[in-house]
Amino acid sequence: MIQIVADNIISGLGRDTGENLRALREGRISLKENAGFRVPGDGKVFLSVMDDSFIEPSVHEEDMTRLEMFMVSSVKRACGRISHLLGDSSTIFVFSTAKGNVRYLAEDERKVPLWHSAKVVSGYFGNPNDPVTVSTACTSGVTAIVVAKRLLEAGLYKTAVVVGADEITEFVVSGFSSLMALSDELCRPFDIMRHGLNLGEAAGCLVLRRADSKEDMLNQDGYFKTPQLVASGAMASDAFHISGPSKTGEGLYRAVMKTLSLPYGTKAETCLGEAFINPHGTATLYNDQMESVAFSRIGLDDLPMIPLKGYFGHTLGASGVIETILCCHFLDEGWIPGAAGYLEPGCFPSPNISSEPQAVSASWFLKTNSGFGGSNAAIKVEKLGDSFPENGSRSGKIDIRTIKSFNLEYTGDVKEYLASLYRDSGLSYPKFHKMDLLCKAGVLAADSLLEVTEGNSDTALVFVNSVSSLAADREYLSSIAEDDFFPSPSVFVYTLPNIVTGEISIRHKLFGECVFFVEEELNRERALDYVRCLFREGSVSRVLFCWDESLDGRCSLRADLIGMEKNGKLRV
């Protein structure tokens, strides 16, 4: 059983969870017109920005970036009563972010790697373990919670500190603007007049702890009236498009169905009890419509739904973390706020959304994220019932075996090298030529290890590198230079590392889960421990595990197709 034991939110609404909740009760929003960023044309931009005074005074250190100071501040506020756990070897830090310290790309690349910020923050608290960093675009937050849950259930750690954070930069603002995804007015999730998102920044911390018995649960006097648990979670791919959602909501549908333990093709009906939903709800035309379709397919139309981005914008890698935290408190207090910006239904089928606060008598809630790369993630959080849940631990030996491998090591003109491999392979996939280096290398590896399938949902993609999407980041940065400002949407979309898993999913029609980790160096044994977690859950039959680091001057790729052994036989 995975218990939620502590939390904190820093956003444009306030320095802690309490201030954020008060703002929501009062109907306050933190989105404001901001003239400090260049965007194509003369459009207005509405943003929600964290006030630097929200940083803990004791955390102002010269060797920390602004974002790192916010992350440390959030952890300190969350863990005041349990600070003794932070430096323990049984505690793991799990970070979620889309772009991290990308603001330093032009001036100091040493600060840019996502693993670097993770190590700065976990090191501040004296934690001896290498932190885990998840970067799957806008699904990073919920994905990080699912990853943390699995690591705890496998018995690898006792406590997980999940930290989600992203900040507003010209890199991000210009990129979303180039995709014509930003609204020039306050965003209106699911409303008929919605026409784009607002960006926000935030740093959130959610602490999870494995309890092996009721007596093992952490005392939470003064926290939740009834203990809350991360009951289940799952990820799934659309296998449709790298920057647009499936019209049928296929990936979200599959992620939620897995999370609710419902067989594909069935409907939830009324068997799930009292609950509410916190959707991704970006206020873009296609995302909100996709979510409406997916929830209707599942039979969740009648459940109250509360989109939250109308209050503080889309906070990218932080959104799944901070919105989960808010929903935990809604569940505890028995209410949900009105949907900011919502006046008239704008999706079909129309979800159950109100602009007014509502009392809810719920025992659980569903939180979802969807994002670029066709990624989707969902978690179910529930109140502890009268009896302690059975089968709370999924530890135990899992034997895995590499079925086949594909490796590349090259120094030189990587673009031409990958092009020559493509020509020699006999592939006929014109889209290959539009991809960034990370995706080209990954697609070549996948094509050597996977067959082109139809509707496969039991193949998972687990990718790792140390540089995230650095090659594409550098290329995009050149398009927003001071004297040559022309943001390229075709390049910006590749500035997220998980796009490679999206490209592979599209080509091979894989609807299974995808995750991208960013680590200083490959810790193969820990990565394989995570692969075992997937087999232990029983939802995958094989895993494509890949270290994919492809830059302008070098390419290092090690890919394994992995299956599980049972009774001496390989099961794929």
Side-chain angles (χ1 to χ4, degrees):
M1 181 186 80
I2 306 304
Q3 182 187 7
I4 296 171
V5 298
D7 68 69
N8 177 261
I9 299 170
I10 305 175
S11 77
L13 289 174
R15 70 183 66 237
D16 57 33
T17 304
E19 289 188 4
N20 278 264
L21 285 167
R22 280 193 293 275
L24 293 179
R25 289 191 197 98
E26 296 166 7
R28 287 188 281 118
I29 66 173
S30 56
L31 291 160
K32 299 176 182 177
E33 185 177 351
N34 192 304
F37 293 92
R38 295 179 296 169
V39 296
D42 299 317
K44 294 186 290 185
V45 178
F46 284 80
L47 307 171
S48 173
V49 179
M50 293 183 287
D51 192 310
D52 287 355
S53 69
F54 294 168
I55 297 172
E56 283 279 303
S58 62
V59 178
H60 284 276
E61 298 190 10
E62 291 183 2
D63 58 347
M64 275 192 200
T65 66
R66 175 178 180 268
L67 187 63
E68 289 159 3
M69 288 191 286
F70 272 117
M71 287 193 278
V72 168
S73 297
S74 191
V75 175
K76 284 174 72 74
R77 290 181 188 135
C79 300
R81 295 185 302 169
I82 54 172
S83 58
H84 61 284
L85 299 175
L86 297 177
D88 196 279
S89 61
S90 66
T91 297
I92 185 69
F93 276 72
V94 181
F95 291 83
S96 74
T97 185
K99 295 311 301 175
N101 281 331
V102 74
R103 72 162 64 239
Y104 294 96
L105 186 60
E107 59 187 81
D108 189 355
E109 272 195 9
R110 295 173 300 174
K111 296 178 179 179
V112 173
L114 304 183
W115 58 260
H116 172 78
S117 292
K119 283 201 163 186
V120 168
V121 176
S122 62
Y124 179 92
F125 296 101
N127 188 272
N129 298 311
D130 285 337
V132 174
T133 304
V134 175
S135 190
T136 56
C138 303
T139 63
S140 298
V142 171
T143 299
I145 295 171
V146 176
V147 167
K149 176 180 183 293
R150 287 171 173 166
L151 297 176
L152 296 179
E153 286 181 332
L156 300 171
Y157 305 97
K158 182 70 172 178
T159 305
V161 181
V162 182
V163 183
D166 264 307
E167 65 178 341
I168 291 172
T169 63
E170 184 172 67
F171 188 103
V172 172
V173 173
S174 64
F176 274 93
S177 179
S178 74
L179 293 168
M180 297 190 292
L182 296 184
S183 174
D184 60 0
E185 59 184 31
L186 293 175
C187 66
R188 303 173 70 169
F190 294 92
D191 188 83
I192 188 67
M193 298 301 292
R194 74 189 187 282
H195 60 275
L197 60 84
N198 301 149
L199 289 168
E201 57 183 16
C205 176
L206 182 68
V207 184
L208 310 178
R209 188 166 170 83
R210 189 184 77 248
D212 300 319
S213 65
K214 206 157 190 175
E215 293 70 33
D216 192 32
M217 293 180 67
L218 206 63
N219 187 309
Q220 290 186 293
D221 289 343
Y223 191 41
F224 294 139
K225 292 187 283 289
T226 302
Q228 294 185 19
L229 320 174
V230 180
S232 55
M235 290 85 83
S237 174
D238 280 344
F240 177 73
H241 195 278
I242 59 172
S243 60
S246 162
K247 294 179 182 179
T248 63
E250 188 64 27
L252 179 59
Y253 171 84
R254 289 173 181 260
V256 173
M257 293 295 278
K258 288 181 184 177
T259 299
L260 300 182
S261 301
L262 295 172
Y264 187 92
T266 62
K267 280 206 169 189
E269 302 300 338
T270 58
C271 63
L272 296 175
E274 294 292 329
F276 63 88
I277 301 171
N278 172 222
H280 195 47
T282 61
T284 60
L285 288 174
Y286 297 119
N287 175 87
D288 293 6
Q289 176 59 29
M290 176 277 291
E291 291 193 88
S292 297
V293 170
F295 290 128
S296 179
R297 286 179 64 190
I298 301 164
L300 302 178
D301 312 62
D302 294 336
L303 291 185
M305 184 184 294
I306 173 57
L308 290 168
K309 292 179 175 63
Y311 288 97
F312 41 67
H314 189 349
T315 58
L316 305 180
S319 67
V321 176
I322 69 167
E323 293 177 19
T324 296
I325 293 169
L326 289 170
C327 288
C328 289
H329 288 273
F330 300 156
L331 184 65
D332 185 61
E333 297 173 9
W335 74 287
I336 56 175
Y342 184 81
L343 296 175
E344 183 179 352
C347 297
F348 182 81
S350 180
N352 181 8
I353 298 175
S354 173
S355 60
E356 298 297 324
Q358 301 178 65
V360 291
S361 178
S363 59
W364 63 276
F365 70 83
L366 178 73
K367 167 63 192 160
T368 65
N369 277 162
S370 298
F372 286 171
S375 58
N376 299 271
I379 55 170
K380 178 186 178 184
V381 174
E382 65 184 18
K383 293 180 179 178
L384 176 66
D386 294 333
S387 59
F388 191 83
E390 296 182 5
N391 302 317
S393 174
R394 290 179 176 170
S395 58
K397 186 178 180 182
I398 295 290
D399 293 318
I400 57 176
R401 185 201 304 177
T402 297
I403 303 168
K404 47 185 174 178
S405 300
F406 180 87
N407 300 305
L408 294 176
E409 292 291 339
Y410 181 80
T411 302
D413 187 341
V414 174
K415 184 177 181 179
E416 176 53 36
Y417 173 64
L418 295 177
S420 68
L421 291 178
Y422 172 82
R423 291 190 295 268
D424 294 344
S425 70
L427 289 177
S428 179
Y429 194 54
K431 191 179 179 184
F432 178 89
H433 302 288
K434 299 180 180 180
M435 298 177 188
D436 73 328
L437 299 178
L438 185 68
C439 289
K440 287 179 177 178
V443 165
L444 286 171
D447 258 79
S448 72
L449 300 177
L450 301 172
E451 69 279 4
V452 177
T453 58
E454 289 285 345
N456 183 313
S457 63
D458 59 359
T459 297
L461 305 180
V462 178
F463 273 59
V464 192
N465 76 10
S466 71
V467 297
S468 185
S469 53
L470 183 57
D473 291 352
R474 289 169 173 167
E475 184 178 357
Y476 180 74
L477 184 66
S478 68
S479 78
I480 57 171
E482 190 69 36
D483 56 351
D484 189 22
F485 185 77
F486 194 78
S488 170
S490 62
V491 176
F492 179 73
V493 73
Y494 285 101
T495 63
L496 297 161
N498 70 302
I499 297 299
V500 61
T501 60
E503 292 282 23
I504 293 169
S505 296
I506 293 167
R507 168 141 175 82
H508 294 271
K509 299 178 176 60
L510 303 176
F511 294 102
E513 74 167 67
C514 306
V515 65
F516 203 109
F517 297 110
V518 183
E519 301 186 348
E520 183 176 11
E521 56 187 10
L522 177 60
N523 183 335
R524 184 174 175 80
E525 191 50 45
R526 187 169 76 171
L528 292 181
D529 279 338
Y530 183 74
V531 169
R532 292 184 183 95
C533 290
L534 300 182
F535 285 114
R536 190 175 285 113
E537 284 193 353
S539 60
V540 302
S541 65
R542 58 185 184 170
V543 175
L544 176 58
F545 170 70
C546 184
W547 169 273
D548 182 358
E549 188 148 297
S550 302
L551 295 167
D552 298 329
R554 60 183 173 87
C555 175
S556 175
L557 188 143
R558 284 161 278 173
D560 297 314
L561 185 63
I562 299 172
M564 182 174 69
E565 281 189 332
K566 191 166 185 179
N567 299 323
K569 293 183 179 180
L570 190 64
R571 301 181 65 189
V572 293

